[in-house]
Amino acid sequence: MKHVWSNRKQIARLNTGVVGSIYAIFGFAGMFVPLDELLPETLSLTKRIACSFGILLGIWLVSVFALSWYLSRKKRFDVITANGGHKLYVQYGDLFDENEVLNPSERRNIVVPVNRCFDTIVDNQLISEKTLHGIAFKKLYASGRYTEESLNTKIQELLASKNYEYEMVSETLKPAGNTKRYLEGTIVDLPGCGNEHLLLWALSTFDCDLKARTSMQQYVLAVQKLIEACSTESEGFPVVLPLVGTGLSRVEKNQIDVLSYLLSAFKLNRDKINCDIHIIVHDDAKHEIAIMDVKREK
């Protein structure tokens, strides 16, 4: 119901068009068949008018229910069509659900925002278990594929192999965790469980109180690097992307603003899209974001 309610304005607009079309058809048919003869001649004018309004209301209600049913079953809406017929979709769902992509049996690349030091300790001080960073890493630990130590070693090896630029951070500025701080937007392609590849995306910076923050300038730069990484790191397989910047990274924008910005950025970089992109609006945000209202560009 949240799905339908959040999209009520779009449903109302569509419904107005549907009902208008139906009445236009009735009007056209009335040129050949006298529709007023469908009602008993004994009815008064008032009752005839009441019956007409009743028919209109009935058509309107049936149309609303039909559109609501259609919306509740439709999983995703394509917004952009790019190279090779690849599309950018906006959909409600769960970032880690394999069914969010068109072919669950193939590889999928999941974008996970992390701090710029790529820390791996999920202790609700360094990394909160409620963030996507914490959720993703806890899944890896639960699977037995990595421990905190082995994951940290693997990530540092991947970073070193790319010769990414970094700066050293003192313990005064960051009293726990890794001390190499990479540039915002740095991407690590980490093999996960099964068909998953995690695209660890450096976004937030810790302060001396271990609070993660990201400025809007850093966010814009990081998004551009992410779009470019989707092209170079995806290997043509779908990328699943959350509404990054709406959680504990302290980007002070609401989810609608973030979605609008991400769509604008991908539209401007349409030529770089070489795989399907799935932007996931978490089910908890259905009441805030009406994905039917997103403007489509072919």
Side-chain angles (χ1 to χ4, degrees):
M1 285 301 297
K2 288 182 178 180
H3 190 169
V4 173
W5 179 250
S6 64
N7 290 278
R8 62 191 181 279
K9 293 181 180 179
Q10 181 69 357
I11 291 175
R13 287 196 292 270
L14 291 173
N15 192 54
T16 300
V18 170
V19 173
S21 298
I22 293 174
Y23 257 74
I25 293 172
F26 276 125
F28 179 75
M31 296 173 61
F32 307 97
V33 180
L35 298 179
D36 59 338
E37 293 182 2
L38 296 176
L39 297 176
E41 295 182 358
T42 55
L43 288 180
S44 64
L45 177 61
T46 301
K47 290 183 178 179
R48 284 173 175 269
I49 293 174
C51 286
S52 298
F53 276 110
I55 293 172
L56 175 62
L57 178 61
I59 293 174
W60 189 88
L61 289 174
V62 169
S63 179
V64 165
F65 283 122
L67 286 170
S68 299
W69 176 84
Y70 167 76
L71 176 61
S72 66
R73 294 179 62 86
K74 187 171 177 63
K75 185 174 181 62
R76 56 183 67 87
F77 294 87
D78 58 287
V79 180
I80 301 172
T81 299
N83 303 318
H86 292 296
K87 295 183 178 181
L88 183 148
Y89 300 93
V90 178
Q91 60 203 71
Y92 297 122
D94 180 351
L95 183 71
F96 301 102
D97 188 341
E98 63 181 10
N99 295 309
E100 298 303 343
V101 298
L102 301 180
N103 185 357
S105 64
E106 69 179 8
R107 166 179 164 175
R108 67 189 188 282
N109 302 286
I110 303 174
V111 175
V112 179
V114 300
N115 65 66
R116 290 169 53 192
C117 292
F118 291 90
D119 289 301
T120 60
I121 302 172
V122 184
D123 59 357
N124 291 322
Q125 293 183 348
L126 192 60
I127 303 171
S128 170
E129 62 184 6
K130 294 182 179 180
T131 62
L132 290 175
H133 188 170
I135 293 170
F137 282 12
K138 286 193 71 175
K139 285 179 177 289
L140 291 177
Y141 303 150
S143 71
R145 184 177 179 90
Y146 298 102
T147 63
E148 288 183 348
E149 294 77 15
S150 66
L151 179 58
N152 191 54
T153 299
K154 178 66 174 178
I155 292 174
Q156 296 305 317
E157 288 175 352
L158 291 171
L159 287 165
S161 69
K162 296 283 190 176
N163 292 317
Y164 285 131
E165 184 179 346
Y166 65 88
E167 62 179 351
M168 298 301 298
V169 183
S170 68
E171 291 186 4
T172 302
L173 295 177
K174 185 173 181 286
N178 297 329
T179 54
K180 289 182 180 178
R181 178 183 292 165
Y182 291 82
L183 297 177
E184 56 277 326
T186 299
I187 295 283
V188 169
D189 179 4
L190 176 72
C193 303
N195 296 325
E196 291 181 356
H197 274 242
L198 302 183
L199 299 184
L200 306 181
W201 180 45
L203 182 61
S204 57
T205 303
F206 280 131
D207 60 21
C208 59
D209 296 319
L210 295 181
K211 300 297 184 182
R213 301 185 182 278
T214 307
S215 70
M216 197 60 209
Q217 182 180 7
Q218 291 171 330
Y219 182 72
V220 169
L221 179 58
V223 167
Q224 183 60 37
K225 289 184 178 179
L226 173 62
I227 293 173
E228 294 169 1
C230 287
S231 174
T232 59
E233 303 292 341
S234 69
E235 297 187 9
F237 292 103
V239 172
V240 187
L241 172 68
L243 281 187
V244 282
T246 60
L248 297 182
S249 56
R250 305 303 198 278
V251 173
E252 297 180 358
K253 298 291 180 182
N254 63 39
Q255 297 199 72
I256 296 175
D257 290 338
V258 171
L259 178 58
S260 296
Y261 178 75
L262 285 175
L263 293 177
S264 297
F266 273 104
K267 287 173 184 176
L268 288 173
N269 292 273
R270 188 193 304 261
D271 61 311
K272 293 183 175 64
I273 300 176
N274 64 355
C275 63
D276 287 343
I277 308 289
H278 299 261
I279 297 180
I280 306 298
V281 177
H282 197 271
D283 288 333
D284 293 343
K286 285 182 177 180
H287 65 289
E288 296 181 34
I289 299 179
I291 61 178
M292 281 185 69
D293 281 339
V294 176
K295 184 178 179 181
R296 290 157 181 74
E297 289 194 9
K298 305 299 183 185

